[in-house]
Amino acid sequence: MDKDRSIVILGGNECMECQYKTLCKKYNCKAKIYIKPTSGLKNKLGSPDLMIFFTGCMSHKMVHSAMAEVKGLDTVIEYSKSASASALKGILEKYCSEEQKEAVFCS
């Protein structure tokens, strides 16, 4: 890939945070990971190419807050009930594969 993709992961398991980052690096993606609700989420999200919600591990309030922040942006939203490394890998393969790069992320 010619440039790193920006990904925000919301929810998930604290013990998996390092694995999430490592997996994202393998797909040439820069990841910001927010396991727990944090204050000032609005200023931290930016405008990512892909936002992943691990819905089984996060509050509705956090989902609604994040959705409000990316409204109107060209951010792709993906939901996963599972917060496993396998679930993340499936999402990354879907959105970060070389042949789909141009179709999904209009660079």
Side-chain angles (χ1 to χ4, degrees):
M1 284 189 184
D2 56 340
K3 83 170 192 142
D4 287 350
R5 300 294 176 201
S6 160
I7 295 180
V8 172
I9 298 174
L10 296 167
N13 299 313
E14 283 184 74
C15 59
M16 296 284 292
E17 188 172 354
C18 211
Q19 288 182 351
Y20 296 154
K21 285 184 181 183
T22 302
L23 199 51
C24 287
K25 272 187 183 178
K26 287 182 182 179
Y27 285 88
N28 295 325
C29 298
K30 288 185 178 179
K32 291 181 184 177
I33 302 169
Y34 302 101
I35 304 294
K36 297 179 181 178
T38 60
S39 62
L41 190 61
K42 175 181 181 174
N43 300 325
K44 296 177 183 176
L45 292 180
S47 56
D49 297 311
L50 173 64
M51 184 174 288
I52 301 170
F53 292 98
F54 287 134
T55 57
C57 306
M58 63 188 300
S59 68
H60 287 90
K61 183 179 178 181
M62 190 173 177
V63 173
H64 293 299
S65 172
M67 289 298 293
E69 297 310 318
V70 296
K71 189 175 184 177
L73 300 176
D74 289 334
T75 300
V76 176
I77 308 292
E78 184 71 31
Y79 299 93
S80 175
K81 207 169 206 180
S82 172
S84 67
S86 176
L88 178 58
K89 184 177 179 183
I91 293 168
L92 293 174
E93 285 178 355
K94 183 177 176 181
Y95 290 103
C96 297
S97 65
E98 193 64 36
E99 61 272 9
Q100 292 182 347
K101 171 181 80 168
E102 297 300 327
V104 177
F105 300 117
C106 302
S107 303

Coordinates of all heavy atoms in Angstrom, one line a residue, residues 5-9 24 29-33 48-52 88 92 96 105:
R5 N -3.4 3.3 6.3 CA -4.8 3.6 6.6 C -5.0 3.9 8.0 O -4.4 3.3 8.9 CB -5.7 2.4 6.2 CG -5.6 2.1 4.7 CD -6.1 3.2 3.8 NE -5.8 2.8 2.4 CZ -5.8 3.7 1.5 NH1 -5.9 5.0 1.7 NH2 -5.6 3.4 0.3
S6 N -5.9 4.8 8.3 CA -6.2 5.2 9.7 C -7.4 4.4 10.2 O -8.4 4.4 9.5 CB -6.4 6.7 9.7 OG -7.2 7.1 10.8
I7 N -7.2 3.7 11.3 CA -8.3 2.9 11.9 C -8.5 3.3 13.3 O -7.5 3.5 14.1 CB -8.0 1.4 11.8 CG1 -7.9 1.0 10.3 CG2 -9.0 0.6 12.6 CD1 -7.6 -0.5 10.2
V8 N -9.7 3.4 13.7 CA -10.1 3.6 15.1 C -10.9 2.3 15.6 O -11.8 1.9 14.9 CB -10.9 4.8 15.4 CG1 -11.4 4.9 16.8 CG2 -10.1 6.1 15.0
I9 N -10.4 1.7 16.7 CA -11.1 0.6 17.3 C -11.7 1.0 18.6 O -11.0 1.5 19.5 CB -10.1 -0.6 17.5 CG1 -9.5 -1.0 16.1 CG2 -10.8 -1.7 18.2 CD1 -8.5 -2.1 16.2
C24 N -3.0 -4.8 13.1 CA -3.2 -3.6 12.2 C -1.9 -3.2 11.5 O -2.0 -2.9 10.3 CB -3.7 -2.4 13.0 SG -5.5 -2.6 13.5
C29 N -1.9 -0.5 8.6 CA -2.9 0.4 9.2 C -2.4 1.0 10.5 O -1.8 0.3 11.3 CB -4.2 -0.3 9.4 SG -4.9 -1.0 8.0
K30 N -2.6 2.3 10.7 CA -2.3 2.9 11.9 C -3.6 2.9 12.8 O -4.6 3.4 12.4 CB -1.9 4.4 11.7 CG -0.5 4.5 11.1 CD -0.2 6.0 11.1 CE 1.2 6.1 10.5 NZ 1.7 7.5 10.4
A31 N -3.5 2.3 14.0 CA -4.7 2.1 14.8 C -4.6 3.0 16.0 O -3.6 3.1 16.7 CB -4.8 0.6 15.2
K32 N -5.8 3.6 16.3 CA -6.0 4.2 17.6 C -7.1 3.3 18.3 O -8.1 2.9 17.7 CB -6.7 5.6 17.5 CG -5.7 6.6 16.9 CD -6.5 7.9 16.8 CE -5.6 9.0 16.2 NZ -6.4 10.3 16.0
I33 N -6.8 2.9 19.5 CA -7.6 1.9 20.2 C -8.1 2.5 21.5 O -7.3 2.9 22.3 CB -6.8 0.6 20.4 CG1 -6.3 0.0 19.1 CG2 -7.7 -0.4 21.2 CD1 -5.4 -1.1 19.2
P48 N -10.9 9.0 10.7 CA -10.3 7.7 10.3 C -10.9 7.2 9.0 O -12.1 7.5 8.6 CB -10.7 6.8 11.5 CG -11.9 7.3 12.0 CD -11.8 8.8 11.9
D49 N -10.2 6.3 8.3 CA -10.7 5.6 7.1 C -11.7 4.6 7.5 O -12.7 4.3 6.8 CB -9.5 5.0 6.3 CG -8.6 6.0 5.8 OD1 -9.0 7.0 5.2 OD2 -7.4 5.9 6.0
L50 N -11.4 3.9 8.6 CA -12.3 2.8 9.1 C -12.4 2.9 10.6 O -11.5 3.1 11.3 CB -11.6 1.5 8.7 CG -12.2 0.2 9.2 CD1 -13.6 0.0 8.7 CD2 -11.3 -1.0 8.9
M51 N -13.7 2.7 11.0 CA -13.9 2.7 12.5 C -14.6 1.3 12.8 O -15.5 0.9 12.2 CB -14.9 3.8 12.9 CG -15.1 3.9 14.4 SD -16.0 5.3 14.9 CE -14.8 6.6 14.7
I52 N -14.0 0.6 13.7 CA -14.5 -0.7 14.1 C -15.0 -0.6 15.5 O -14.4 -0.2 16.5 CB -13.3 -1.7 14.1 CG1 -12.7 -1.8 12.7 CG2 -13.8 -3.1 14.5 CD1 -11.4 -2.6 12.6
L88 N -11.1 -9.3 14.1 CA -10.4 -8.1 13.6 C -9.7 -8.4 12.3 O -9.7 -7.7 11.3 CB -9.4 -7.6 14.6 CG -8.5 -6.4 14.2 CD1 -9.4 -5.2 13.8 CD2 -7.5 -6.0 15.3
L92 N -10.1 -6.6 8.7 CA -8.9 -6.0 8.0 C -8.8 -6.6 6.6 O -8.4 -5.9 5.7 CB -7.7 -6.1 8.9 CG -7.7 -5.3 10.2 CD1 -6.4 -5.7 11.0 CD2 -7.7 -3.8 9.9
C96 N -8.8 -3.9 3.9 CA -7.4 -3.4 3.7 C -6.6 -4.3 2.7 O -5.4 -4.2 2.6 CB -6.6 -3.4 5.0 SG -7.3 -2.2 6.2
F105 N -11.6 2.6 0.0 CA -11.0 3.8 0.4 C -10.6 4.6 -0.8 O -9.5 4.4 -1.4 CB -9.7 3.6 1.3 CG -10.0 2.8 2.5 CD1 -9.4 1.6 2.7 CD2 -10.8 3.3 3.5 CE1 -9.6 0.9 3.8 CE2 -11.0 2.6 4.6 CZ -10.5 1.4 4.8

